[in-house]
Amino acid sequence: MTQAAFFVLTALADQPRHGYGILQEVEQLSNGSLQLRVGTLYGVLDRLSTDGLIVLDREEVQQGRLRRYYRLTDEGIRALNTEAELMAAGATAAMERIAAGRHHPTADTTPPPFPGHGLTGGAA
């Protein structure tokens, strides 16, 4: 699952949202690290719809513009849950390895001595 798909599904996890609402929610959920463009969003929505993970919830006209609201399907909830569990397990493994690396002595990074280093060239 792509990062964009994960965050779009997450944005829809608590309630149906329209396109602009999804864009705002994705940016907030990702702490600003993912700012989807409109074309990218609708490409993701099309794929998620084709895969049966989201459906059109309703359409409303507001200020003369049509807003389409999307919601997760049961399959979408399962897919998001599975992906979130995988990501959490991966994050835990990464944190454990980082912590383990801090507690183990690292390999000696001192360069090997230059051949003949310390020798004066004479008999001692």
Side-chain angles (χ1 to χ4, degrees):
M1 178 179 296
T2 66
Q3 182 183 39
F6 175 79
F7 277 109
V8 168
L9 290 176
T10 302
L12 295 172
D14 61 341
Q15 66 183 18
R17 296 184 196 282
H18 57 80
Y20 183 68
I22 295 169
L23 290 175
Q24 290 179 313
E25 195 70 13
V26 165
E27 186 173 347
Q28 181 181 354
L29 288 166
S30 69
N31 293 319
S33 68
L34 182 59
Q35 297 176 353
L36 296 177
R37 294 185 179 176
V38 173
T40 302
L41 172 65
Y42 284 99
V44 171
L45 291 173
D46 285 343
R47 272 193 311 281
L48 294 173
S49 179
T50 298
D51 292 345
L53 304 181
I54 65 169
V55 293
L56 183 63
D57 184 67
R58 67 185 184 278
E59 294 179 329
E60 293 179 359
V61 177
Q62 292 185 358
Q63 300 176 357
R65 299 182 78 169
L66 182 65
R67 286 192 171 173
R68 290 188 173 130
Y69 287 75
Y70 299 90
R71 66 175 168 80
L72 291 181
T73 62
D74 289 342
E75 183 62 28
I77 293 167
R78 283 190 293 275
L80 178 59
N81 188 59
T82 298
E83 188 68 17
E85 286 175 352
L86 287 170
M87 291 175 76
T92 297
M95 297 304 290
E96 287 171 354
R97 288 191 177 217
I98 290 168
R102 289 188 188 143
H103 301 299
H104 290 294
T106 59
D108 184 12
T109 58
T110 306
F114 182 78
H117 178 71
L119 299 178
T120 59

